[in-house]
Amino acid sequence: MSSESLQTPPDDKSGAPILCGLIGMDIQSSRSPAMHMGEADRQGLRLVYCLYDLSLHKDRDSALPGMLDAVEACGFSGVNITHPFKQKVIPLLDELSEEATAIGAVNTVLFRDGRRIGHNTDWSGFAESLSRQLPDADLMHVVQIGAGGAGAATAMAMLRLGCRELVIADKNEAMARALVERLGVNAPAGVEVRLAGADRAAEIARAGGLINATPLGMEGHPGMPVEAAWLRPGLWVADVVYFPLETELLKSARALGCATAHGGEMAIFQAARAFDLFTGRQADRMRMVENF
């Protein structure tokens, strides 16, 4: 296993910039390039961050291995991985950090000494974001929609933050069940991680908080993961989507008086940790928030 400690990027005496990027689908509105290159500029580093939107690729569903080979061959320090590849990328890697292993998803790949090392910075990014935006959130009973790569990370974050009952729902029940089983094995004593029942409205009615960990609401994926009628005042609602910052879910929730947390700060804090790993230098988190 690889630790999450900083690792020096490949030594390049030619003066070439640090190369990194993002691989995913429907990512043209991503703010990752601006976040990474802006922080690098403020630290006096030369860094180039590229977008590789496989939704534009003729072989979009099978292009990931070739794209990973290409960026590694070009001397990239690493790449971020987003929907829908956070779990699909794992068989293409040589090792995983402890966090990525526990979560079962990777959002950051480092290329070091001929090896591909998978990390997950999403869970800590979500934990820090929720703690900042909703410091008084009731974490006793939370419903989460989505059990994919982002959902695995947010679920881990909820357990680390002290959630006592975490209910997981996903249209892919097998995926949701697998996540529940994986998290349940190492859940602290007295903490329940379970599948949502068939009546999702009733599940949300009993919860203190709701998390959207699906792409619904993101550019290219319009809609909401739940019915607006299931929301109520007193329920807090968090979304991992950040383009746009105000999703249909958050807009509906705020109209009812719900406290909400947008996905922007999760994006910032996961990017800051990825920047640390790509460059071997600590990103200034608060400066990145101010410049988001």
Side-chain angles (χ1 to χ4, degrees):
M1 296 298 172
S2 170
S3 72
E4 291 283 359
S5 60
L6 294 187
Q7 300 174 32
T8 304
D11 185 25
D12 190 329
K13 301 183 187 305
S14 69
I18 297 168
L19 300 177
C20 45
L22 174 66
I23 299 174
M25 288 194 183
D26 300 310
I27 55 173
Q28 293 303 303
S29 296
S30 172
R31 298 192 189 183
S32 291
M35 286 192 289
H36 283 264
M37 291 192 288
E39 179 61 15
D41 286 346
R42 288 183 284 271
Q43 292 204 25
L45 297 175
R46 296 182 63 212
L47 183 147
V48 176
Y49 192 102
C50 307
L51 291 181
Y52 298 101
D53 190 341
L54 299 191
S55 67
L56 307 176
H57 198 284
K58 64 178 181 178
D59 301 315
R60 53 183 288 167
D61 295 322
S62 59
L64 178 62
M67 182 58 67
L68 211 60
D69 289 343
V71 293
E72 182 178 22
C74 287
F76 274 50
S77 176
V79 287
N80 287 128
I81 304 293
T82 192
H83 177 79
F85 301 121
K86 292 181 180 182
Q87 292 165 321
K88 294 176 182 178
V89 75
I90 291 176
L92 306 176
L93 307 179
D94 296 302
E95 59 184 285
L96 301 180
S97 70
E98 292 181 5
E99 288 81 357
T101 299
I103 293 166
V106 164
N107 79 320
T108 302
V109 175
L110 300 185
F111 302 116
R112 297 291 184 269
D113 301 320
R115 295 182 66 76
R116 299 172 176 179
I117 307 165
H119 294 261
N120 191 298
T121 69
D122 279 335
W123 82 268
S124 57
F126 183 75
E128 192 165 356
S129 168
L130 192 68
S131 296
R132 276 175 47 85
Q133 293 189 71
L134 298 175
D136 299 320
D138 177 5
L139 304 182
M140 292 300 293
H141 183 174
V142 177
V143 172
Q144 174 177 298
I145 312 297
T154 55
M156 173 68 77
M158 294 312 301
L159 297 185
R160 295 282 181 93
L161 289 172
C163 179
R164 307 303 294 174
E165 182 177 358
L166 181 61
V167 181
I168 306 290
D170 195 288
K171 64 181 181 180
N172 184 332
E173 186 170 321
M175 182 180 292
R177 187 179 303 278
L179 178 58
V180 166
E181 291 174 354
R182 188 164 67 249
L183 293 177
V185 169
N186 297 311
V191 173
E192 181 181 11
V193 183
R194 64 175 176 85
L195 283 173
D199 190 342
R200 302 289 172 79
E203 291 281 16
I204 293 171
R206 294 192 293 270
L210 172 68
I211 299 170
N212 174 38
T214 78
L216 281 175
M218 185 171 76
E219 185 174 291
H221 300 270
M224 292 173 52
V226 299
E227 299 291 334
W230 300 353
L231 306 175
R232 69 180 193 282
L235 180 76
W236 60 262
V237 180
D239 206 323
V240 302
V241 173
Y242 77 93
F243 49 98
L245 274 180
E246 180 164 272
T247 60
E248 186 178 343
L249 172 64
L250 295 188
K251 184 176 180 180
S252 297
R254 272 197 290 271
L256 291 172
C258 300
T260 62
H262 60 72
E265 289 199 2
M266 177 185 179
I268 293 167
F269 295 128
Q270 67 78 23
R273 183 57 189 153
F275 180 95
D276 299 344
L277 295 168
F278 290 149
T279 67
R281 300 267 290 270
Q282 289 280 354
D284 185 323
R285 271 68 172 161
M286 291 306 100
R287 183 166 62 194
M288 289 182 70
V289 170
E290 292 167 3
N291 287 281
F292 184 68

